[in-house]
Amino acid sequence: GEDFNISTRIGTSCDEALKMMFDIVGYEVPIAHIPIRKNIDLGNITVSYSKANTLLGYSPKVKVKDGLKMQIEYMKEELKL
C-alpha cells in the first residue's frame, strides 16, 4: 500500500482551527496554552498533496472551515447532540 498526505497545502494552526470551530458552533470556551514540549510537539507543519495528485488525481475541493463545519454537523447528527 501507499501512504498519501491529504491536505490543502495551506497551514492552519491549532488556534486558527479552534477559532473556526467556535465560529461554527456559536460559542467559545477558554483555551489553555501550554509550553511547547521539545521532542514531542512538532510545531508548524504544512504537507504537500503532490503524490496524491500525481497518482490519484486528488486536489482539495473543500476549504478547512467548510470541512470543519461538515464534520461538526455530521457528529451532531450521529451523536444526537
Side-chain angles (χ1 to χ4, degrees):
E2 297 266 353
D3 293 324
F4 296 94
N5 289 319
I6 302 300
S7 72
T8 62
R9 215 184 267 162
I10 298 170
T12 303
S13 71
C14 288
D15 281 348
E16 291 170 322
L18 283 169
K19 288 175 184 173
M20 287 181 216
M21 287 186 273
F22 292 157
D23 184 51
I24 293 165
V25 299
Y27 62 90
E28 294 186 24
V29 295
I31 302 171
H33 289 90
I34 60 172
I36 291 176
R37 301 162 293 177
K38 291 186 178 185
N39 300 322
I40 296 174
D41 291 334
L42 300 173
N44 295 328
I45 295 175
T46 303
V47 298
S48 170
Y49 62 84
S50 60
K51 180 179 174 185
N53 179 263
T54 300
L55 298 177
L56 305 174
Y58 167 82
S59 63
K61 299 196 179 7
V62 178
K63 293 181 180 177
V64 173
K65 187 172 182 179
D66 295 336
L68 287 171
K69 184 176 181 180
M70 289 187 299
Q71 181 63 34
I72 289 168
E73 289 172 356
Y74 170 80
M75 291 174 68
K76 282 176 151 180
E77 187 176 311
E78 280 297 306
L79 300 174
K80 309 292 187 233
L81 299 176

